[in-house]
Amino acid sequence: MAEESTKSWADSDSESSSSSSSSSDSEQEEVNCLMADQTSDDEVFDFSNIEFTREDLVQALNDMVHEYKTLSHTFEEIKAENASLKNSSIDSSSDELEDVDSLKTELSKLRIENDVLKNETSELKAEIEILNQVVSSWNRSSRSIHKLNESQKLANDKSGLGFNSS
Protein backbone atom coordinates (compact mmCIF):
# COMPACT_ATOMS: atom_id res chain seq x y z
CA MET A 1 0.00 0.00 0.00
CA ALA A 2 2.83 2.40 0.89
CA GLU A 3 4.65 1.49 -2.30
CA GLU A 4 1.53 2.23 -4.36
CA SER A 5 1.08 5.68 -2.82
CA THR A 6 4.80 6.43 -3.30
CA LYS A 7 4.58 5.30 -6.92
CA SER A 8 1.42 7.34 -7.55
CA TRP A 9 3.10 10.32 -5.87
CA ALA A 10 6.09 9.93 -8.13
CA ASP A 11 3.80 9.55 -11.18
CA SER A 12 1.86 12.68 -10.30
CA ASP A 13 5.15 14.48 -9.69
CA SER A 14 6.47 13.60 -13.13
CA GLU A 15 3.16 14.53 -14.75
CA SER A 16 3.09 17.93 -13.05
CA SER A 17 6.69 18.64 -14.02
CA SER A 18 5.95 17.87 -17.66
CA SER A 19 2.75 19.90 -17.66
CA SER A 20 4.45 22.83 -15.94
CA SER A 21 7.27 22.81 -18.50
CA SER A 22 4.78 22.81 -21.32
CA SER A 23 2.74 25.56 -19.74
CA SER A 24 5.76 27.78 -19.13
CA ASP A 25 5.49 28.82 -22.77
CA SER A 26 2.06 30.30 -22.22
CA GLU A 27 1.73 33.95 -21.23
CA GLN A 28 -0.15 33.30 -18.04
CA GLU A 29 1.47 30.63 -15.94
CA GLU A 30 -0.96 28.07 -14.71
CA VAL A 31 -0.32 25.92 -11.62
CA ASN A 32 -1.72 22.40 -11.47
CA CYS A 33 -2.37 21.22 -7.97
CA LEU A 34 -4.70 18.62 -6.57
CA MET A 35 -5.51 18.62 -2.87
CA ALA A 36 -7.46 15.88 -1.13
CA ASP A 37 -9.46 16.41 2.01
CA GLN A 38 -8.21 13.86 4.52
CA THR A 39 -11.60 13.51 6.19
CA SER A 40 -13.16 11.94 3.11
CA ASP A 41 -11.26 10.23 0.33
CA ASP A 42 -13.79 11.00 -2.43
CA GLU A 43 -13.59 14.81 -2.15
CA VAL A 44 -10.85 16.39 -4.32
CA PHE A 45 -10.19 20.08 -4.92
CA ASP A 46 -8.80 21.18 -8.26
CA PHE A 47 -6.66 24.32 -8.08
CA SER A 48 -5.72 24.18 -11.77
CA ASN A 49 -8.56 26.60 -12.39
CA ILE A 50 -7.48 29.86 -14.05
CA GLU A 51 -9.08 31.82 -11.20
CA PHE A 52 -6.18 30.77 -8.94
CA THR A 53 -2.95 32.43 -10.01
CA ARG A 54 0.54 31.77 -8.77
CA GLU A 55 0.38 34.94 -6.66
CA ASP A 56 -2.80 33.70 -4.96
CA LEU A 57 -1.15 30.40 -4.11
CA VAL A 58 2.03 32.13 -2.91
CA GLN A 59 -0.08 34.45 -0.76
CA ALA A 60 -2.00 31.47 0.64
CA LEU A 61 1.32 29.70 1.36
CA ASN A 62 2.69 32.82 3.05
CA ASP A 63 -0.47 33.05 5.15
CA MET A 64 -0.09 29.40 6.15
CA VAL A 65 3.59 29.92 7.03
CA HIS A 66 2.66 32.97 9.12
CA GLU A 67 -0.09 31.00 10.88
CA TYR A 68 2.35 28.13 11.44
CA LYS A 69 4.87 30.52 13.03
CA THR A 70 2.16 32.00 15.23
CA LEU A 71 0.97 28.56 16.29
CA SER A 72 4.58 27.46 16.85
CA HIS A 73 5.20 30.47 19.05
CA THR A 74 1.99 29.83 20.98
CA PHE A 75 2.97 26.18 21.37
CA GLU A 76 6.40 27.17 22.74
CA GLU A 77 4.77 29.59 25.21
CA ILE A 78 2.35 26.91 26.40
CA LYS A 79 5.19 24.39 26.62
CA ALA A 80 7.24 26.84 28.73
CA GLU A 81 4.23 27.57 30.93
CA ASN A 82 3.62 23.85 31.36
CA ALA A 83 7.27 23.33 32.33
CA SER A 84 7.07 26.18 34.82
CA LEU A 85 3.87 24.73 36.28
CA LYS A 86 5.57 21.36 36.62
CA ASN A 87 8.55 23.00 38.32
CA SER A 88 6.33 24.95 40.69
CA SER A 89 4.40 21.77 41.35
CA ILE A 90 7.65 19.97 42.11
CA ASP A 91 8.75 22.86 44.34
CA SER A 92 5.44 22.92 46.19
CA SER A 93 5.43 19.13 46.52
CA SER A 94 9.01 19.22 47.88
CA ASP A 95 7.89 21.95 50.31
CA GLU A 96 4.95 19.75 51.27
CA LEU A 97 7.32 16.81 51.73
CA GLU A 98 9.53 18.95 53.97
CA ASP A 99 6.42 19.98 55.92
CA VAL A 100 5.37 16.34 56.21
CA ASP A 101 8.87 15.38 57.38
CA SER A 102 8.92 18.15 59.98
CA LEU A 103 5.43 17.15 61.13
CA LYS A 104 6.54 13.52 61.43
CA THR A 105 9.56 14.63 63.48
CA GLU A 106 7.35 16.77 65.69
CA LEU A 107 4.90 13.88 66.10
CA SER A 108 7.75 11.57 67.06
CA LYS A 109 8.94 14.07 69.69
CA LEU A 110 5.39 14.40 71.05
CA ARG A 111 5.02 10.63 71.28
CA ILE A 112 8.29 10.36 73.23
CA GLU A 113 7.16 13.17 75.54
CA ASN A 114 3.79 11.42 75.95
CA ASP A 115 5.53 8.18 76.95
CA VAL A 116 7.69 10.05 79.48
CA LEU A 117 4.59 11.72 80.93
CA LYS A 118 2.79 8.36 81.12
CA ASN A 119 5.74 6.92 83.08
CA GLU A 120 5.77 9.91 85.43
CA THR A 121 2.01 9.59 85.88
CA SER A 122 2.26 5.92 86.78
CA GLU A 123 5.11 6.69 89.23
CA LEU A 124 3.02 9.45 90.80
CA LYS A 125 0.02 7.10 91.07
CA ALA A 126 2.19 4.54 92.85
CA GLU A 127 3.50 7.24 95.21
CA ILE A 128 -0.07 8.44 95.87
CA GLU A 129 -1.08 4.87 96.72
CA ILE A 130 1.80 4.58 99.18
CA LEU A 131 0.92 7.96 100.73
CA ASN A 132 -2.74 6.90 100.99
CA GLN A 133 -1.65 3.81 102.93
CA VAL A 134 0.52 5.97 105.23
CA VAL A 135 -2.36 8.41 105.85
CA SER A 136 -4.73 5.49 106.44
CA SER A 137 -2.26 4.03 108.94
CA TRP A 138 -1.99 7.38 110.71
CA ASN A 139 -5.79 7.63 110.88
CA ARG A 140 -6.03 4.13 112.42
CA SER A 141 -3.30 5.02 114.90
CA SER A 142 -5.08 8.25 115.77
CA ARG A 143 -8.36 6.39 116.40
CA SER A 144 -6.57 3.80 118.51
CA ILE A 145 -4.92 6.49 120.63
CA HIS A 146 -8.25 8.25 121.02
CA LYS A 147 -9.90 4.99 122.21
CA LEU A 148 -7.06 4.40 124.66
CA ASN A 149 -7.40 7.90 126.02
CA GLU A 150 -11.14 7.47 126.45
CA SER A 151 -10.76 4.20 128.27
CA GLN A 152 -8.12 5.44 130.74
CA LYS A 153 -9.12 7.22 133.97
CA LEU A 154 -7.68 10.43 134.99
CA ALA A 155 -5.28 10.45 137.96
CA ASN A 156 -7.67 12.28 140.33
CA ASP A 157 -10.73 10.28 139.21
CA LYS A 158 -11.82 8.19 142.19
CA SER A 159 -14.88 6.50 140.83
CA GLY A 160 -15.29 2.87 139.94
CA LEU A 161 -13.91 -0.32 141.54
CA GLY A 162 -11.72 0.09 144.55
CA PHE A 163 -13.09 3.41 145.52
CA ASN A 164 -15.84 4.17 147.92
CA SER A 165 -18.67 5.98 146.33
CA SER A 166 -19.53 7.95 149.45
Side-chain angles (χ1 to χ4, degrees):
M1 178 75 180
E3 290 176 17
E4 287 178 17
S5 59
T6 307
K7 183 181 175 190
S8 65
W9 181 264
D11 290 342
S12 67
D13 198 26
S14 63
E15 288 171 9
S16 64
S17 63
S18 64
S19 66
S20 65
S21 62
S22 66
S23 65
S24 62
D25 297 335
S26 66
E27 290 181 326
Q28 184 177 10
E29 190 172 307
E30 195 178 299
V31 177
N32 291 324
C33 179
L34 292 177
M35 190 167 156
D37 185 7
Q38 292 181 356
T39 57
S40 64
D41 293 331
D42 58 342
E43 202 173 324
V44 176
F45 297 97
D46 182 11
F47 286 103
S48 64
N49 192 340
I50 297 174
E51 294 176 17
F52 295 107
T53 63
R54 180 175 180 85
E55 290 79 27
D56 292 337
L57 292 175
V58 168
Q59 182 61 37
L61 178 64
N62 286 337
D63 291 345
M64 286 192 297
V65 168
H66 178 70
E67 186 176 347
Y68 170 77
K69 285 181 181 179
T70 305
L71 290 174
S72 249
H73 181 71
T74 305
F75 172 74
E76 291 301 323
E77 287 176 348
I78 291 172
K79 194 167 130 181
E81 183 180 345
N82 190 15
S84 101
L85 286 175
K86 282 183 180 178
N87 288 339
S88 68
S89 173
I90 289 171
D91 292 343
S92 66
S93 64
S94 65
D95 290 344
E96 289 174 4
L97 288 176
E98 290 174 5
D99 290 344
V100 168
D101 288 341
S102 67
L103 287 175
K104 284 182 179 179
T105 304
E106 188 67 28
L107 179 62
S108 176
K109 288 178 184 177
L110 289 174
R111 283 184 176 159
I112 291 170
E113 185 180 351
N114 190 26
D115 290 341
V116 168
L117 290 174
K118 281 181 182 179
N119 289 337
E120 286 180 14
T121 302
S122 60
E123 289 173 4
L124 288 173
K125 283 181 181 179
E127 189 175 340
I128 288 172
E129 186 63 34
I130 290 170
L131 290 175
N132 280 338
Q133 290 174 357
V134 169
V135 168
S136 176
S137 171
W138 287 351
N139 285 337
R140 283 192 306 260
S141 298
S142 175
R143 282 192 300 269
S144 296
I145 288 175
H146 184 66
K147 284 182 184 179
L148 279 175
N149 282 337
E150 283 179 352
S151 62
Q152 289 182 353
K153 290 186 179 184
L154 296 174
N156 55 1
D157 184 15
K158 297 197 180 196
S159 64
L161 285 174
F163 292 100
N164 194 357
S165 60
S166 56

